Amino acid sequence: MRWTSLTTLVLVALSQATIADAFDPFGWTPNYFEKGQKVNLYVNRVESDTTQLPFAYYDLPFTCPPTPESRPLHLSLNEVIRGDRIWESDYKLFFAEDAPCHRLCDRITKPEGLRRADELIRSGYVVEWLIDDLPGATTFVSSTDKKKYYAAGFPLGFVKDGRTYLHNHVMLVIRYHTEKNGKHTIVGFEVYPRSVSDFHCPGASKNFDNYLIDVDAKSNVIIPFTYAVYWREESSISWNDRWKLFFKSDINDDGIHWISLINSLVLVAFLSAIVGVVLLRTLNRDIQTYNNMDLATENILVETDKSDSFTNSGWKLVSNDVFREPSYPLLLSVILSSGVQVFFTIIGVLFLSTTGVLGPNVRNSVLSTALTLFIIGGMAAGYSGIRFYKNFTQEAHIRSYLKYSLIFGGSLPFLVLTSVLVLNCIVWAKDSSNALPFGTVVLLVIFFLVLEVPLSVIGGFLGNMKPPAAMNSNLTKPKRSIPRQPKFLSYFYTIPAFGLIPFGTIYVELLFVFRSVWLEKTSFYYMYSFLLFTIVLLSVIVVESVVVAVYLSLINGDWRWQWRSFLIGSSVAWYVQVYSIYYFFTYLNVTDFSSIILFFAYTTLLSALLGFAFGSLGLYGASIFIYKIYGAIKSD
């Protein structure tokens, strides 16, 4: 009874945490407005491209505090993880009714509040507000096609001649569209900030003094905050297209994505030609030759292998050894099961984003969707971990499968959750809005214990029901000694060599993802279809690279293919990590020590997860390759 009640409680919490609006979770249905209807403006947070520490807008000591009537919004888990802290504001907006000037408040600010404002403005912090789920935007005009586009947020202030000025007046331009049904929807939210020395609204005039922040003030200072509201009808932009202005920029990114995709296709075609034409034809010829010969003894086999007819057929000599148990089979199985869980999450999120299931504003649901798929992936982790371990050890039935299922399904979530909680302490010490609240931490732990753990056990149970894969070998024979390997087969050469082409496949998309996450945080990454197709091409290249690497080691008498295939498959992760270091020193201008730690910690975690995912994919592809070629020859 207690278990049922707890499970019900967790499921209700998950639904509430994942779905911000129970009626319309993904924002598919527009909100309609009538003239004179009250429109809510929500304040969120401030963040900067030069630091990884956003702050809640109402936590700033120099902005107008909320009145008792204002309340914080119930946030989805996606918004909490992203660092959103959304509150109702005291801005009075009524649909289609202009308000040339309103006085919001006179903020009594202490000297330390002024110094805080000076610090944030110099760090380039921008303000995030929301109306009808649309972020307040700064308007730009493209230098190429002269068309308007948006950048989410507006600057907190500006620096001129070494002095800082605060934006204490905003002109809000809200654009609306009359739909075919005659109803009105909001399609744009533009913010034009001004710095004004007094409480007068400047309007279109430029004849006013700016509000200078006096960092040397010894007493409290009054900062006046004012605003103006203008409504404009937009006939060319409908509700379905209102996000497109956020997806544009001064550079035509679409062309770059297409060029990158074509280059990736060329790389895949080139490597597929090598694998398909050269390698597979050679293997088919060897298999047919071996099966037609009467090899009576091991000595005859060795002599045949040394003959000129079988220079490249040494892989047959290790047919009894390729199915031997690898070193540290449990550790390898744990890593592989973790990789399966990560790969399942990546493909699932990109597929749902590409097909439009997550709605027009993907970033409002992508993190909670990833968490949901990650938890579901615990079943795949438990299943694949048991299957890999049984194939490695050739155990027909694992009696203690429950223990192993928990290890396979719980290791990665425990690692990720621990890492996030440790980093959360750094963010919490800085009073950043990115710090997860205690309730959210407890909720994540409950998700892990009540949902992830049972799913991994179910997956392990299903995996344990199936027997290990049949092998075509005799493991009672003594191990064949491994001859001295060529230098080019050492990990020092193979990992960089086989990781270069996969990294070249994802380099361009990785650049755009990094730009959106680390450099231009208010920008929107929206090319999920390109990213999904790139990941598919990357998967093909990884599998083909691993097959080539394993084949080269087999013909040179090295039958230890399991760890080799994983390390070769995960080699792209090393390039991602090196690229992260290069990106930090080349593109970012981060000086805060905490932000530096957060950047390298999260990029290292990302590289590790990618290594797990594509390493497991590489080993899975190598397993199919091994069982295919050795299952096609006559056993000795």
Side-chain angles (χ1 to χ4, degrees):
M1 185 67 179
R2 289 182 178 179
W3 177 261
T4 305
S5 301
L6 182 59
T7 304
T8 304
L9 177 63
V10 171
L11 291 176
V12 171
L14 179 61
S15 64
Q16 291 180 347
T18 306
I19 299 175
D21 182 353
F23 182 73
D24 184 23
F26 299 121
W28 282 109
T29 307
N31 292 320
Y32 296 109
F33 298 89
E34 297 178 355
K35 186 175 181 179
Q37 179 181 346
K38 183 180 178 181
V39 178
N40 292 320
L41 187 152
Y42 302 102
V43 299
N44 188 6
R45 61 179 183 173
V46 295
E47 65 177 347
S48 170
D49 295 336
T50 62
T51 178
Q52 312 305 328
L53 300 171
F55 300 96
Y57 182 79
Y58 274 151
D59 287 345
L60 302 180
F62 52 87
T63 59
C64 292
T67 58
E69 293 76 21
S70 298
R71 293 287 185 270
L73 262 65
H74 173 75
L75 300 179
S76 69
L77 185 59
N78 183 88
E79 291 167 332
V80 174
I81 295 176
R82 201 172 60 189
D84 290 343
R85 298 296 182 266
I86 304 176
W87 274 69
E88 296 175 346
S89 74
D90 296 308
Y91 289 87
K92 307 300 181 183
L93 282 69
F94 299 94
F95 190 84
E97 292 184 0
D98 294 346
C101 188
H102 271 301
R103 195 166 182 172
L104 182 64
C105 80
D106 292 329
R107 177 64 149 115
I108 301 176
T109 307
K110 297 180 179 180
E112 52 268 26
L114 295 174
R115 289 189 286 272
R116 180 61 170 163
D118 176 79
E119 176 189 355
L120 295 180
I121 292 172
R122 291 184 184 276
S123 298
Y125 273 81
V126 297
V127 182
E128 293 186 18
W129 289 351
L130 297 167
I131 289 181
D132 192 33
D133 202 33
L134 277 177
T138 301
T139 304
F140 296 94
V141 177
S142 174
S143 60
T144 55
D145 56 10
K146 306 302 179 183
K147 293 184 178 180
K148 181 174 70 174
Y149 67 92
Y150 288 156
F154 62 93
L156 187 61
F158 64 93
V159 180
K160 183 179 180 181
D161 298 329
R163 297 182 175 185
T164 55
Y165 297 87
L166 177 68
H167 284 147
N168 57 338
H169 171 82
V170 289
M171 183 174 68
L172 310 177
V173 178
I174 301 118
R175 302 189 180 275
Y176 63 94
H177 179 77
T178 303
E179 303 292 338
K180 294 180 179 179
N181 57 10
K183 298 180 179 180
H184 306 296
T185 57
I186 294 177
V187 296
F189 175 26
E190 302 171 3
V191 181
Y192 298 90
R194 298 287 187 270
S195 178
V196 185
S197 60
D198 53 30
F199 58 86
H200 292 95
C201 298
S205 172
K206 296 182 179 180
N207 186 22
F208 58 90
D209 295 328
N210 299 134
Y211 187 90
L212 173 65
I213 297 178
D214 183 9
V215 294
D216 297 322
K218 303 299 182 181
S219 59
N220 293 346
V221 174
I222 296 178
I223 304 178
F225 282 89
T226 56
Y227 65 98
V229 183
Y230 297 95
W231 296 83
R232 296 293 180 265
E233 186 169 6
E234 188 71 54
S235 59
S236 60
I237 300 176
S238 65
W239 185 86
N240 292 326
D241 299 327
R242 65 179 188 164
W243 287 100
K244 289 186 177 180
L245 290 179
F246 289 96
F247 300 154
K248 296 180 180 179
S249 65
D250 200 37
I251 304 174
N252 183 13
D253 294 341
D254 293 351
I256 300 176
H257 288 285
W258 278 110
I259 293 174
S260 171
L261 188 60
I262 293 173
N263 289 336
S264 299
L265 286 171
V266 172
L267 288 175
V268 171
F270 173 73
L271 196 56
S272 299
I274 296 177
V275 175
V277 177
V278 180
L279 184 57
L280 294 184
R281 287 185 61 184
T282 302
L283 285 172
N284 286 331
R285 182 191 63 196
D286 290 347
I287 291 172
Q288 292 176 6
T289 303
Y290 277 126
N291 288 337
N292 291 332
M293 293 181 62
D294 184 16
L295 303 178
T297 64
E298 181 73 7
N299 291 333
I300 296 177
L301 177 62
V302 175
E303 293 175 0
T304 305
D305 183 68
K306 291 181 179 179
S307 66
D308 294 337
S309 300
F310 303 106
T311 302
N312 291 323
S313 56
W315 60 271
K316 175 61 173 62
L317 299 178
V318 295
S319 60
N320 284 323
D321 297 291
V322 292
F323 298 103
R324 295 192 185 276
E325 181 178 304
S327 304
Y328 309 106
L330 179 59
L331 175 61
L332 183 58
S333 299
V334 169
I335 297 175
L336 294 176
S337 60
S338 301
V340 170
Q341 188 172 7
V342 175
F343 193 79
F344 172 81
T345 303
I346 293 174
I347 295 299
V349 169
L350 292 180
F351 177 78
L352 294 177
S353 302
T354 300
T355 55
V357 174
L358 299 186
N361 185 10
V362 174
R363 76 170 190 166
N364 274 1
S365 52
V366 65
L367 291 179
S368 52
T369 301
L371 176 63
T372 303
L373 292 175
F374 188 78
I375 293 174
I376 297 175
M379 179 182 291
Y383 177 85
S384 58
I386 291 291
R387 293 287 294 152
F388 275 122
Y389 189 70
K390 291 177 69 174
N391 288 341
F392 291 155
T393 61
Q394 286 300 306
E395 293 185 39
H397 184 78
I398 301 177
R399 292 185 177 180
S400 56
Y401 81 92
L402 181 61
K403 177 184 70 174
Y404 286 109
S405 299
L406 294 176
I407 294 175
F408 296 142
S411 296
L412 181 62
F414 178 78
L415 171 65
V416 173
L417 187 59
T418 303
S419 302
V420 170
L421 293 182
V422 171
L423 295 176
N424 191 62
C425 293
I426 299 176
V427 180
W428 174 80
K430 290 289 185 176
D431 290 328
S432 171
S433 64
N434 264 356
L436 296 176
F438 179 75
T440 303
V441 174
V442 173
L443 192 63
L444 292 176
V445 174
I446 293 177
F447 287 168
F448 171 68
L449 295 177
V450 180
L451 297 178
E452 171 84 15
V453 170
L455 287 174
S456 62
V457 171
I458 294 173
F461 173 77
L462 296 176
N464 197 38
M465 291 178 62
K466 289 193 174 184
M471 59 181 184
N472 189 17
S473 64
N474 184 4
L475 298 181
T476 59
K477 292 185 177 182
K479 291 183 180 180
R480 181 179 292 275
S481 60
I482 299 174
R484 185 175 182 179
Q485 297 294 297
K487 272 189 175 183
F488 69 88
L489 287 181
S490 67
Y491 288 128
F492 182 79
Y493 295 103
T494 54
I495 289 180
F498 284 101
L500 183 60
I501 294 180
F503 178 73
T505 304
I506 65 170
Y507 167 73
V508 173
E509 291 303 319
L510 190 65
L511 176 64
F512 283 101
V513 172
F514 268 50
R515 186 179 73 176
S516 178
V517 174
W518 301 112
L519 183 60
E520 300 174 2
K521 300 183 184 67
T522 56
S523 64
F524 293 79
Y525 182 84
Y526 62 97
M527 289 294 189
Y528 292 98
S529 56
F530 280 98
L531 186 57
L532 175 61
F533 201 44
T534 300
I535 293 296
V536 171
L537 294 178
L538 173 63
S539 302
V540 174
I541 290 180
V542 165
V543 171
E544 292 177 341
S545 299
V546 168
V547 167
V548 172
V550 169
Y551 177 73
L552 291 176
S553 65
L554 291 177
I555 64 176
N556 284 278
D558 189 351
W559 42 267
R560 300 167 301 180
W561 59 274
Q562 293 95 338
W563 277 104
R564 174 175 292 273
S565 59
F566 172 79
L567 293 174
I568 295 298
S570 64
S571 58
V572 65
W574 291 104
Y575 279 93
V576 173
Q577 183 60 37
V578 172
Y579 177 75
S580 301
I581 299 174
Y582 164 79
Y583 193 89
F584 176 83
F585 288 104
T586 304
Y587 292 95
L588 300 184
N589 186 28
V590 178
T591 56
D592 180 70
F593 183 69
S594 299
S595 298
I596 296 174
I597 293 177
L598 292 173
F599 174 84
F600 284 108
Y602 280 120
T603 53
T604 301
L605 182 60
L606 170 67
S607 300
L609 294 178
L610 290 177
F612 291 163
F614 291 100
S616 63
L617 178 66
L619 190 140
Y620 184 75
S623 300
I624 296 176
F625 173 72
I626 291 294
Y627 280 91
K628 283 288 185 182
I629 65 172
Y630 287 102
I633 62 176
K634 297 177 181 179
S635 60
D636 294 336

